[in-house]
Structure formats: structure tokens, C-alpha cells
Amino acid sequence: MKKEDMNIVIVGHVDHGKSTLMGRLLADTGSLPEGKLDQVRETCRRNSKPFEYAFLLDALKDEQSQGITIDTARCFFKTEKRDYIILDAPGHIEFLKNMITGASRAQAALLMIDAKEGVQENSRRHAYMLSMLGIRQIAVVINKMDLVDYSEEVYEKVKEEYLAFLKQINIEPAFVLPVSAFQGENIVKPSERMPWYDGMCILQVLDGFHCEEEQDRQPFRMPVQDVYKFTRNGDDRRIVAGTIETGTIRAGQEVVFYPSGKKSHVKRIESFHTDPIEEGKPGMAVGFTMQEQIYITRGEMMTVTGEPKPKTASRIAANVFWLGKKDFVPGKIYYLKIGSDKVKVEVECVKGVINSSNLSSTDTKQAVERHEVAEVILKTDKPIAFDVVADRAGTSRFVIVDQYEIAGGGIITEALEDEESAIRSGTMLRNYKWETSNIAIEDRMERYAQRPELIVLTGEKNTGKKDLAKALEKELLNRGRYVYYMGIGSYLYGVGADTKAGGDENHKEQIRRFAEVANLMLDAGMILIVTATCLTESDRKIMKTVIQGEMDIFWVGDSVTTDIKADEQLQDSQFDYDGNIRRIKGILKDKGIIFR
């Protein structure tokens, strides 16, 4: 019978002994590859360096030359009770972002403190991040007891100081224990040099943590990593792939994908060069074929019908730990990565800021500085699927990316209402009830040599939008594309005739219905071009909520006169007509809408 698995992260201030502890655990339990320990000892001898157990992990040359761990190491370690994946997260202040990455999948944590140096600034920051990531199983390991002559007095002093801090951030460690990782004291067996301590050693502490067996019994969650289409040798499978976070799944079950709300049934759990898989379980990287052909994309969350649903929203309350060199501020576009999804995000407001080292707080700041913790409201460019931390910590965690670098991490505490909430609910119901065709969207793409796309040309009157749209339609048709132009008037005096009375609610309904018509045409595989005067950001959000596909909004004119966040701005078509056509075609090719 296979033993249970557990992910554990080891964190702490730089040089407080994390890598040494891991090296000791591997060496003292016989978990190293044969000859590895002797190889490292010999390398140290040839380089006239004292042997360090940390060298077993610090394999990169620049890590050894600087004497610090700069990435998150992973090692596999076994006890009689279970199999572990232990994550060694960096302690150096410059590498806190890597520590967030390392801790994001952990079920439990060891917080390392140097008995001689005592509680340091990063010791507090790391604890705060563990708290924010929802990790509740924590042991405080007071290391390097050999440097303080195994003094009980020193141990109690450090313990008292750190526990007082942890209490302020609502962390109650399950264990506190003294060790010497370098000397191997209290690691795999109780230490004889600390007779005053009668608690557990590290091995016993690890096995004392509760493994999340209940993950099997939690609602099914799998972020969609990708959808693969096979074409060789008559293989026409479309495989939805990802790693299962929680729950279990079997063939025949009905599944729903969020935030779209689309449904299908699992036809088979796919595997390569292995025996057939009867049941998908947490931690498994798997693929599924579906009975009904639906179009889904990377970033959706796969769930099982009848189980508690995830939240879907484009407006969220969150706690963020900021690590960026520049402040986290409203008005700037960042990227939020959660599960396998990546969306644009901005700060709506900062509700409160806490200094993670001294816990001083303020509710008057509107920017979050480096190493501060903040309670914020975030707005995403499109709806995302998630769980709040009170329900399931793993699927509530996210990171913020600023200019290609991870600049912060956090947890979602609440899904908030926004202007599109009611429309989103209707869209999800529509998708759930959708009658699917036997023709997959990928087959239409292959036939038409294109991906469906809505192209919206908006701007002030008399900027040549209609002429540009019709010329673009003709150009694409002449090149064999499946394309159609629809002016807003064609819609308003037909499907939307009963909404022409005016007023804000009628206008929203006009945009919603128009987006529904566009969604049908995109589902048919078409490139749809539309024109409308002076669309707003509210209009864009409604369309984005309703349309299940690609959409690009082009503002035509020299100045944008509404609040819309257009994807591109074009010159007045009366002055650069051909240039605008070339630019749009280039964008469609770069995005892969038009196959080259």
C-alpha cells in the first residue's frame, strides 16, 4: 500500500541553517543517492573547504560561491509513516519572492531560528507570509544550539520572544524544539546534549503533522493547464490536461469549468505508457477526454457537478505581501496569476497596510511599499475562478507579476459584487445549458485557417470606422477568411429594437444582447467586425463577460475620449486608411487569429 504524501516548506532568515537541516535529514536517513555524501566530502577536501551538509543541496555554482541559497530546492525524503517533498525556501531578503513560490504548495512548515542570532527581521516576515498563505501547521525550530552550549536559558529566551510575535499574527505553532543541524542533535533521534528537553526530535515532529488526507474528500479542483489536439494516425482526441489540486474524479462524471460555466462529461482519464487510470486523485498530473465537445482554454478551473462551486468574480478582497522594488499602487496594470490563469489586474483601493516586521499599521496609505502587508480590493480584467482562503487555502493563493517579475503574493478573502455580477450569472447558466455541436471548435479553426475573434472599432463620429471595417472585411474575405461585418445599426433595429428607449439599463441590455449575438457568431468560427460610437469601459466589461472567445477593441481617432481600456489606438482612418488595415492584420497574425 502506497504511503501518504506531504509537502513541507522550511523557511527562515539567511544562514539560520535551513539547507543544513535538509542535508542532515537526507544523510542521516539514508535518502541520498549512493555515493553522494562521499562525493561532496571529496569535493570539499579538494577545494580545501570544510564539509557542509548544505552543500548537498546547494548544487549551483553561484550558490556555493556566495554561500546562500537563491532558489527553492526540492528533495524527496521518507520516513516509515509517509513520503515527503521538502521545499527549502531562501532566507536572504532579496529572495523572499522565491520563498512565496516554495511555500505555495506546502501543507506544513518549519520556521528556523538561529539560537545565537535570535529572531531577525526576515524571521518575522516569513512567519507573516506563512500566515497569509493559509499554512496552519507550523513548528518553530531553534537551530545552532551547539553555538550557545546547548543552553536551556537561551532557548527559552528565543522561544518566548518569537512566540509573542507569532501570537500577534494568530499563529500558534504545533511544536517548538531545539536542534543542532550541523551536529545532528535532535534531528533523527533525541539529543543527549540537551537533557532538559524532553520533547520530539525533527523526525517525530514531521510525522506528527496531520497529512491532508481530506484532500481526497474535498470538492474537485483542477486548473486547466492546456488542451491538446491530436491529429496523427487517425487520433482525433482533445485532451484537457492539468494537475489535480483536491478531490477525485472518475470517467462518466459531469464536470463544469469556471469561470465560463461550460459543462461536459469525462469520457476517459488518459495516460501514456501506463495502465489505465480508474480514478484521478490530488497531486496527479492527468489528461481527460470529454464526451461533449466544448471550447475551453488554459486558466479555467475544472470542477465536478453537484459539489460546492468555486467563486467567480472580477473584483476581490485580498491580503497581499508586497515584494516589488516599486510600490503597489492604484492606477497601474499588473498581472495576477492564480492556478493556471493569468489576467490583468489593478488595485481599486488599499484598505489598510501593516509593516510585517513591527506590526505597525495604518489605514491612510494608498500605496503598498516593499515588505509591507496590505488588505486591498483588486479588479481583474476578466472573471477568475477561485476559492476563498477560509474554504480552501490552496486555490485562494495568487502571485502578482510586475514587468515579468513576481512582485507579491497573497490570498483571496472574499468575492465582491461588481457591475457585471448579474450578467455573469446569466452567462454561466447559458453556458451550462448550451447545446453543443458534434463539430469541435478546433475543427472549424482548421477548416477556416483562423481562430474566431471579435474586432470592435470604436471612437468618435466621422473617423472612418465604418469604411475601415468594410474594407477590412473585404481584405480578409479575399484572402479566404470566414468573416462578417455588422454595424451597430443592423443590430439596434432588429434584435435590440425594444431597447432603443434610452436610459442606462436599456443601454446595458443593448450591449449584453449585442454580445450574445457576437458570441453565437464566434462559436461558428467567424471573425466578426463591428463598429460602434464611443464605447465605454462598462461596455467593454459587459462584452468581455458575455463573449467566450477572443476580442480586440480598437479606438479609431487621435484621442480617446471615453474611459474605455482599448487594446490598440489607430489613427483617424481618413488620414491613414491603408496603414490601419495593415496594422490590424499584423496584430491578428501575431496573436494567431489568422494562421500564417
Side-chain angles (χ1 to χ4, degrees):
M1 182 177 177
K2 187 182 183 300
K3 291 188 289 187
E4 61 188 15
D5 299 326
M6 176 179 274
N7 288 349
I8 288 183
V9 66
I10 302 179
V11 300
H13 192 71
V14 66
D15 287 336
H16 278 204
K18 302 176 300 300
S19 295
T20 301
L21 174 60
M22 290 180 67
R24 260 294 181 184
L25 283 169
L26 292 171
D28 291 358
T29 58
S31 299
L32 289 169
E34 187 175 350
K36 182 67 173 178
L37 183 60
D38 292 337
Q39 176 190 339
V40 174
R41 288 187 188 276
E42 177 61 20
T43 300
C44 290
R45 186 193 66 78
R46 287 201 310 265
N47 292 307
S48 300
K49 295 177 66 174
F51 171 76
E52 294 276 357
Y53 282 93
F55 291 162
L56 294 169
L57 303 174
D58 292 341
L60 299 176
K61 290 182 179 179
D62 57 349
E63 289 184 2
Q64 291 198 20
S65 63
Q66 294 177 50
I68 57 173
T69 307
I70 63 172
D71 206 346
T72 299
R74 298 170 72 245
C75 69
F76 301 88
F77 165 76
K78 297 181 179 181
T79 67
E80 291 184 4
K81 181 175 182 180
R82 61 170 68 109
D83 296 341
Y84 291 97
I85 298 176
I86 304 184
L87 307 161
D88 173 39
H92 194 272
I93 193 168
E94 293 300 319
F95 308 121
L96 278 169
K97 67 183 72 174
N98 300 57
M99 181 257 153
I100 286 183
T101 305
S104 63
R105 286 187 171 274
Q107 301 171 34
L110 300 181
L111 265 169
M112 301 282 289
I113 305 289
D114 185 321
K116 189 172 183 179
E117 287 192 5
V119 179
Q120 299 294 305
E121 194 170 18
N122 270 0
S123 307
R124 299 184 180 95
R125 288 183 179 137
H126 286 171
Y128 218 124
M129 280 189 279
L130 293 178
S131 173
M132 288 189 59
L133 289 168
I135 298 173
R136 294 291 175 257
Q137 295 192 102
I138 295 173
V140 174
V141 179
I142 300 177
N143 188 31
K144 301 190 180 182
M145 289 298 296
D146 53 307
L147 299 184
V148 294
D149 297 325
Y150 301 100
S151 167
E152 181 181 8
E153 183 181 352
V154 172
Y155 165 75
E156 290 294 342
K157 182 179 179 182
V158 175
K159 174 182 174 181
E160 181 181 359
E161 179 186 356
Y162 201 41
L163 290 185
F165 174 81
L166 295 179
K167 186 176 181 180
Q168 294 179 68
I169 57 174
N170 297 317
I171 288 182
E172 185 176 348
F175 308 98
V176 182
L177 66 157
V179 307
S180 170
F182 185 78
Q183 298 294 339
E185 298 295 330
N186 214 27
I187 304 300
V188 299
K189 61 181 181 180
S191 170
E192 295 180 358
R193 297 188 179 184
M194 293 179 280
W196 45 265
Y197 173 76
D198 59 0
M200 297 182 180
C201 65
I202 287 284
L203 268 191
Q204 294 169 322
V205 164
L206 294 177
D207 282 346
F209 287 134
H210 299 292
C211 199
E212 294 184 1
E213 303 112 334
E214 69 271 14
Q215 279 194 322
D216 289 357
R217 298 189 292 274
Q218 288 182 21
F220 181 81
R221 299 285 188 266
M222 189 195 83
V224 175
Q225 191 69 29
D226 215 334
V227 180
Y228 299 97
K229 177 73 162 63
F230 294 85
T231 56
R232 286 189 176 183
N233 303 321
D235 188 350
D236 62 352
R237 289 176 299 166
R238 294 174 63 248
I239 295 181
V240 179
T243 299
I244 299 173
E245 292 280 348
T246 57
T248 59
I249 192 166
R250 288 179 171 269
Q253 287 188 286
E254 185 180 73
V255 293
V256 185
F257 295 86
Y258 291 96
S260 69
K262 294 180 180 180
K263 76 174 189 303
S264 187
H265 289 80
V266 175
K267 184 176 182 180
R268 189 168 59 189
I269 303 177
E270 299 289 340
S271 61
F272 297 93
H273 309 300
T274 66
D275 294 331
I277 297 174
E278 296 283 332
E279 184 178 51
K281 296 182 178 181
M284 292 177 61
V286 291
F288 303 93
T289 49
M290 298 292 162
Q291 290 181 12
E292 297 85 7
Q293 299 299 323
I294 57 174
Y295 181 60
I296 56 171
T297 58
R298 173 185 171 91
E300 297 240 27
M301 184 182 287
M302 183 175 171
T303 70
V304 170
T305 300
E307 296 182 348
K309 302 176 183 178
K311 309 291 184 184
T312 57
S314 61
R315 190 166 171 264
I316 57 174
N319 293 335
V320 172
F321 195 107
W322 191 244
L323 304 169
K325 296 177 182 178
K326 296 181 180 179
D327 294 353
F328 191 39
V329 294
K332 181 177 177 179
I333 300 298
Y334 303 90
Y335 281 94
L336 182 145
K337 295 180 71 173
I338 183 167
S340 57
D341 205 1
K342 181 180 179 181
V343 297
K344 292 179 181 178
V345 68
E346 60 181 308
V347 181
E348 178 180 303
C349 72
V350 178
K351 298 179 69 177
V353 176
I354 298 174
N355 183 295
S356 60
S357 294
N358 58 30
L359 298 185
S360 62
S361 62
T362 176
D363 58 4
T364 60
K365 293 182 66 173
Q366 279 304 299
V368 187
E369 297 178 17
R370 196 175 197 189
H371 303 139
E372 287 184 331
V373 178
E375 185 181 354
V376 297
I377 294 177
L378 303 176
K379 296 186 297 183
T380 57
D381 179 60
K382 64 178 184 178
I384 58 174
F386 57 90
D387 290 294
V388 296
V389 67
D391 293 337
R392 272 162 292 282
T395 41
S396 77
R397 298 168 183 165
F398 63 86
V399 296
I400 302 290
V401 177
D402 184 14
Q403 297 182 339
Y404 307 105
E405 289 190 351
I406 294 176
I411 51 174
I412 300 175
T413 57
E414 186 180 0
L416 302 175
E417 291 288 319
D418 55 40
E419 293 180 357
E420 295 78 44
S421 294
I423 294 174
R424 186 176 305 115
S425 296
T427 299
M428 290 169 62
L429 180 60
R430 176 204 71 190
N431 289 340
Y432 185 77
K433 298 292 185 179
W434 193 276
E435 289 293 334
T436 59
S437 168
N438 289 333
I439 301 172
I441 189 65
E442 288 87 355
D443 294 333
R444 298 184 194 273
M445 293 179 188
E446 187 175 346
R447 172 63 62 89
Y448 304 139
Q450 66 186 42
R451 289 164 56 200
E453 161 96 343
L454 173 62
I455 300 171
V456 181
L457 302 179
T458 188
E460 296 285 347
K461 292 181 179 180
N462 303 317
T463 54
K465 297 186 298 296
K466 291 183 181 179
D467 290 340
L468 175 62
K470 292 174 182 179
L472 178 63
E473 177 193 32
K474 188 171 184 179
E475 171 71 14
L476 293 176
L477 183 68
N478 287 341
R479 294 184 176 274
R481 306 304 179 183
Y482 184 35
V483 60
Y484 184 75
Y485 163 69
M486 182 174 69
I488 198 71
S490 305
Y491 157 78
L492 283 176
Y493 291 94
V495 175
D498 61 330
T499 64
K500 283 185 58 59
D504 186 56
E505 287 305 313
N506 273 354
H507 177 75
K508 286 183 179 180
E509 179 60 13
Q510 287 174 359
I511 297 297
R512 188 197 69 79
R513 287 194 201 177
F514 159 72
E516 289 286 4
V517 172
N519 188 65
L520 287 168
M521 300 178 81
L522 264 60
D523 191 59
M526 184 175 290
I527 294 175
L528 176 63
I529 307 167
V530 301
T531 54
T533 300
C534 294
L535 291 176
T536 66
E537 179 62 11
S538 175
D539 298 332
R540 186 194 70 83
K541 287 183 176 179
I542 292 172
M543 289 189 290
K544 195 83 171 178
T545 301
V546 173
I547 292 170
Q548 304 295 307
E550 298 281 350
M551 178 178 78
D552 272 311
I553 295 182
F554 296 85
W555 183 276
V556 183
D558 296 332
S559 58
V560 180
T561 56
T562 74
D563 64 343
I564 194 168
K565 294 175 181 175
D567 298 287
E568 298 285 340
Q569 185 176 354
L570 305 175
Q571 291 185 1
D572 190 316
S573 286
Q574 298 175 87
F575 301 110
D576 193 11
Y577 187 77
D578 293 334
N580 281 344
I581 293 248
R582 286 195 300 272
R583 187 171 176 189
I584 294 174
K585 284 173 57 182
I587 290 170
L588 296 181
K589 289 178 181 178
D590 290 342
K591 288 184 63 179
I593 302 300
I594 297 175
F595 298 171
R596 295 183 183 274

